Amino acid sequence: MPTSLIEASGLTRRFDQRVAVDSLSFTLGAGQALALLGPNGAGKTTTMRMLCGLLAPSSGSARICGHALAKDERENDQIRAHCGIVPEAAGFYERLSAIDNLRFFAGLQGLARPLIEARSSQALARFGLSERSADRTGTFSKGMKQRLSLARALLHEPQLVFLDEPTAGLDPKATADLHALIRELKAGGTGIVLSTHSLEAVSYTH
């Protein structure tokens, strides 16, 4: 595992004449957390999408988990293989059950079939969803989908986890559980990048 999970230098992203992210430079080490704090439209999600290799920067460079951001998608695939992503919109197949969704996404991560079964069941139990494992995801509340999204992000035990407004739709207990999870991941050496507009959420990254 590289000492620095993120090394960003001058990352900039423009959309036509609008500058969404302007010359961002920072380093994030294993077991550290970075909070991107700001209102909607401040460039938080754009920053995360660049760092995940999902959106090419207009200029600047970065190394993520030892791999350089590149125009070559194969290199960016290597970056994503080391990252867990919890997007603001969950993006599940709503006609599939919770466990079938996890099986599908675990397969995309290249996990072997026996590991897919074990990790999917463990992830559902970890986030209190075992009793709903066979239910269609379309019947889930927003908070349940958020917990399932967290389960999906950790299936392949990533080195780096991106959380985009992760407390959206969570009740107070689930929010407290998320904060405990962030502390647990940091203690195990996982890097965290958190996008939020909540000062309270930022306090749990320290």
Side-chain angles (χ1 to χ4, degrees):
M1 179 184 294
T3 303
S4 294
L5 298 180
I6 300 178
E7 298 174 357
S9 178
L11 276 185
T12 299
R13 176 65 198 200
R14 299 181 182 86
F15 294 96
D16 297 324
Q17 300 302 312
R18 182 171 64 87
V19 179
V21 179
D22 189 11
S23 194
L24 177 65
S25 301
F26 70 95
T27 300
L28 183 75
Q32 293 184 332
L34 170 70
L36 304 175
L37 177 66
N40 292 339
K44 304 186 301 296
T45 298
T46 298
T47 297
M48 297 175 82
R49 291 184 66 200
M50 285 194 290
L51 294 172
C52 294
L54 296 172
L55 181 67
S58 301
S59 59
S61 62
R63 291 189 68 83
I64 315 296
C65 298
H67 298 274
L69 283 179
K71 294 181 179 179
D72 184 346
E73 280 303 299
R74 289 173 297 181
E75 183 73 6
N76 289 338
D77 284 344
Q78 289 295 318
I79 290 172
R80 289 187 286 271
H82 294 284
C83 296
I85 305 169
V86 179
E88 189 170 5
F92 288 111
Y93 293 99
E94 300 215 332
R95 293 187 178 183
L96 293 182
S97 67
I99 195 162
D100 281 342
N101 265 285
L102 292 189
R103 287 167 176 157
F104 172 76
F105 287 105
L108 292 181
Q109 290 291 348
L111 298 183
R113 183 170 295 276
L115 199 54
I116 288 174
E117 293 302 317
R119 294 270 183 89
S120 297
S121 296
Q122 290 165 3
L124 288 170
R126 183 179 192 180
F127 290 95
L129 294 170
S130 294
E131 292 185 358
R132 300 292 302 272
S133 64
D135 293 350
R136 290 185 178 184
T137 308
T139 67
F140 281 18
S141 67
K142 185 174 181 180
M144 291 173 66
K145 287 179 181 178
Q146 190 74 334
R147 282 187 279 149
L148 188 62
S149 188
L150 286 162
R152 175 180 60 187
L154 300 178
L155 284 170
H156 58 301
E157 298 181 348
Q159 295 174 244
L160 183 61
V161 175
F162 293 90
L163 305 169
D164 194 358
E165 300 289 355
T167 58
L170 297 185
D171 60 30
K173 181 184 182 304
T175 299
D177 289 343
L178 173 64
H179 296 157
L181 174 65
I182 290 173
R183 291 192 294 268
E184 175 189 333
L185 292 172
K186 286 176 57 184
T190 303
I192 304 288
V193 179
L194 168 70
S195 163
T196 184
H197 57 263
S198 166
L199 281 172
E200 180 185 6
V202 170
S203 68
Y204 286 93
T205 64
H206 299 295

